[in-house]
Amino acid sequence: MNSENTTKSTPAETEKFRWTVTLVGVLAGWLLLNVTIYIVDPALEQPGVSILLVSLSVILIGIIVGSQSRGATIREAGLAGAILAILTVLFVVAALQVPVPAVIWLASPVYAGGLGLAGGWVGEMLQGTLEESQVDYPIDWPWVFVAVVVGFTLSAYLVLLGRAILDLTFMNTVVVFASSFFITGWIVGHFSPGVTMVEPAIAAAAMSVLDAGFVALWLRSLPAMQVIIVAFVVCVLLALAGGWLGELTQRRLTTRRRVSD
C-alpha cells in the first residue's frame, strides 16, 4: 500500500486496548460461527469440520477486526479468539452434554487466541498500520504470509459452504479453489507497497499444499492428487494474474487521488 493510502495511528492509539473492539469481535464471531455450523454441520456429526469452522471463523474475525478498527488492534483480536474458544467449549458441555477433557479447556483458548492474533496481524497489514506493511523488499515475506492466511481461509470457507449449500462437484470445487488464488493475488497486489506479484505466486505453492491437506482430511471423496496438480500448474499463474491486476488497480487509485489533490 502506498503512503498516500495509509492512515497512520498515533502511539496512544496503538497502545490503548479497545475493549469495545474485543466485544464486537466476540459477538460477530459467535454469530458467524453459529450460522456457518448450522449450514455446514447442523447435527455436529463431523467434529473435524466443526473444529475447522471454529478456526476459520476466529481467523476471519481477526482479519476483519484488524483491518476495520482504528489503530493497531491485534491484541483485541487475540482476546476475542480466546473468548470464542471458551464460549464454544461451554456450549459443548452445557448444551450437548459432552464431557471435555481438562487439556482442551486449557489449550483451546491458547490455540484460538493465537489464530485471532494471526488474523488481527493480517488485518493490520491490509489496513497499513504496521511498519512492515509499508516496507518494500525484493521479496516481501510478511505479504507471503498474508496471502497464505487469506487464501486458505477464503478457499476453505467457500468450499465448505459451497458443498453444504450447492453440493459442489469435484470440478466446481476446483473452480472455487482456483478463484481463491486469483482473489488472494489481487488482495496482496492491491494493498501491499511496491510491486508484489511474486509474493502471491510463492504463497500459492504453500496454499496448494494446505488445500490438498484440507481436501484429504475433510473432503475425502475428492482426489487430493488432482487438486495438487491443478494447484501447481494453474493456481500459481492465477495468483500472478491476480497480483498483476491488484497492482494495476492500486496504481489507478493512487493516480486518481493525486489528481484530486
Side-chain angles (χ1 to χ4, degrees):
M1 182 185 295
N2 292 331
S3 59
E4 293 88 343
N5 302 339
T6 303
T7 302
K8 297 290 186 180
S9 59
T10 65
E13 288 177 330
T14 301
E15 295 175 2
K16 181 181 178 181
F17 192 92
R18 295 170 175 80
W19 293 100
T20 303
V21 173
T22 298
L23 178 60
V24 171
V26 171
L27 294 176
W30 187 248
L31 176 62
L32 176 65
L33 182 58
N34 279 272
V35 170
T36 52
I37 287 184
Y38 177 78
I39 294 173
V40 176
D41 187 24
L44 298 178
E45 297 174 341
Q46 307 174 71
V49 172
S50 296
I51 292 173
L52 178 61
L53 282 173
V54 173
S55 302
L56 294 174
S57 297
V58 170
I59 294 173
L60 182 57
I61 288 301
I63 294 174
I64 294 173
V65 167
S67 62
Q68 298 301 316
S69 59
R70 185 180 180 183
T73 51
I74 300 175
R75 296 172 298 171
E76 289 81 348
L79 180 58
I83 295 174
L84 282 172
I86 295 173
L87 291 176
T88 302
V89 175
L90 286 173
F91 174 80
V92 170
V93 173
L96 304 181
Q97 301 296 315
V98 176
V100 175
V103 65
I104 301 298
W105 281 99
L106 296 174
S108 58
V110 177
Y111 168 73
L115 294 179
L117 288 173
W121 182 85
V122 169
E124 294 298 337
M125 287 287 290
L126 295 176
Q127 186 181 171
T129 53
L130 300 180
E131 182 179 352
E132 54 263 39
S133 68
Q134 303 300 318
V135 180
D136 185 16
Y137 296 107
I139 297 180
D140 293 319
W141 292 105
W143 284 103
V144 173
F145 179 78
V146 169
V148 172
V149 173
V150 171
F152 178 71
T153 303
L154 179 64
S155 62
Y157 246 127
L158 291 178
V159 169
L160 287 173
L161 292 176
R163 282 175 62 84
I165 298 173
L166 304 174
D167 192 21
L168 297 179
T169 64
F170 169 70
M171 289 308 301
N172 294 141
T173 303
V174 170
V175 171
V176 171
F177 277 126
S179 300
S180 69
F181 280 76
F182 181 83
I183 295 171
T184 300
W186 179 86
I187 291 173
V188 173
H190 182 79
F191 288 97
S192 59
V195 179
T196 49
M197 291 185 292
V198 175
E199 286 78 359
I202 296 174
M207 287 166 56
S208 63
V209 175
L210 290 175
D211 288 339
F214 164 67
V215 168
L217 289 175
W218 284 284
L219 306 175
R220 296 179 182 178
S221 61
L222 301 180
M225 186 54 65
Q226 293 185 21
V227 175
I228 293 175
I229 294 174
V230 171
F232 276 99
V233 174
V234 178
C235 291
V236 171
L237 296 178
L238 287 173
L240 280 171
W244 174 82
L245 182 61
E247 293 293 337
L248 184 63
T249 56
Q250 179 194 114
R251 291 172 187 173
R252 288 184 175 179
L253 180 61
T254 302
T255 301
R256 289 177 182 176
R257 289 185 175 181
R258 286 176 178 172
V259 171
S260 63
D261 292 339

